Amino acid sequence: MTMVRELTIRSAAAADAERLSELAVRTFRDTYAEHNRPENMARYLAAHFSPRHQAEELADSAMATVVVEAEHQLIGYAQLRTGNPPKCVSGTDRLELSRFYVDRPWHGRGVAQALMNATAAEAARRGARTLWLGVWERNSRGIAFYRKCGFADVGGQTFVLGSDRQDDRVMALALG
Ligand SMILES: CC(C)(COP(=O)(O)OP(=O)(O)OC[C@H]1O[C@@H](n2cnc3c(N)ncnc32)[C@H](O)[C@@H]1OP(=O)(O)O)[C@@H](O)C(=O)NCCC(=O)NCCS
């Protein structure tokens, strides 16, 4: 467990499923709703962020979730998962940073950096040497943040939101 001033950063527990679902829905809407059709948003949210789905992911040993708390509220989370990286991600022991979200009032306040440090440490603890992610090519703030953390653009991939196919940049970071 890591304390950063008033923040607590820790691995998520099964009991977090409900609150994680609320945070995941809110941050996903905040990030993408203005750029996407409501029906595509609704399909994606229903398929991925229900409390039940979060509970299943928390119980999945191929995944790891790190959360940030302030004043007993969840204000950010990151998820790691094993899986098949795209060809553009080279190296061995690759782990995907599949979600990385900080609640809007906490943007630009160092929370994201603290969460990234803890998440990279958790990835290394799990034996990863390369952390990779997909980020929507129009998410300039996300891309700028990942660059600041040392991630490099290594290629592209397609992301499907409802019936919409979108272009993601793929970024990778060597750990350690
Ligand atoms: C991505 C995210 C985690 C970054 O956290 P943050 O606290 O906002 O990050 P920071 O403020 O430390 O860094 C963002 C950088 O982008 C820059 N930036 C801000 N707005 C920008 C914009 N519209 N276009 C380009 N760069 C921008 C900032 O200046 C900053 O760089 P600097 O510190 O060198 O000035 C956070 O914004 C977030 O949760 N966004 C919504 C969810 C999201 O997009 N997640 C990524 C999904 S893959």
Side-chain angles (χ1 to χ4, degrees), residues 8 10 17 26 31-32 39 49 52 59 76 104 120 135 152-153 156:
T8 301
R10 61 173 174 80
R26 184 167 69 246
T31 308
Y32 304 113
E39 61 272 25
F49 294 131
R52 184 174 164 189
R104 193 166 263 180
V135 52
D153 187 313

Side-chain angles (χ1 to χ4, degrees), residues 27 31-32 98-103 106-113 133-136 139-146 148:
T27 52
T31 308
Y32 304 113
S98 55
R99 300 199 191 281
F100 194 90
Y101 288 84
V102 170
D103 222 352
W106 294 86
H107 291 180
R109 297 172 62 181
V111 171
Q113 192 66 59
L133 60 87
V135 52
W136 193 21
N139 187 347
S140 307
R141 185 166 193 151
I143 291 171
F145 172 75
Y146 293 133
K148 204 167 63 164

Side-chain angles (χ1 to χ4, degrees), residues 20 54 57 63-65 77-81 96-99:
L20 191 55
Q54 292 309 305
E57 290 190 350
M63 300 185 69
T65 302
Y77 76 105
Q79 284 181 321
L80 297 166
R81 72 174 173 203
E96 181 182 5
L97 178 57
S98 55
R99 300 199 191 281

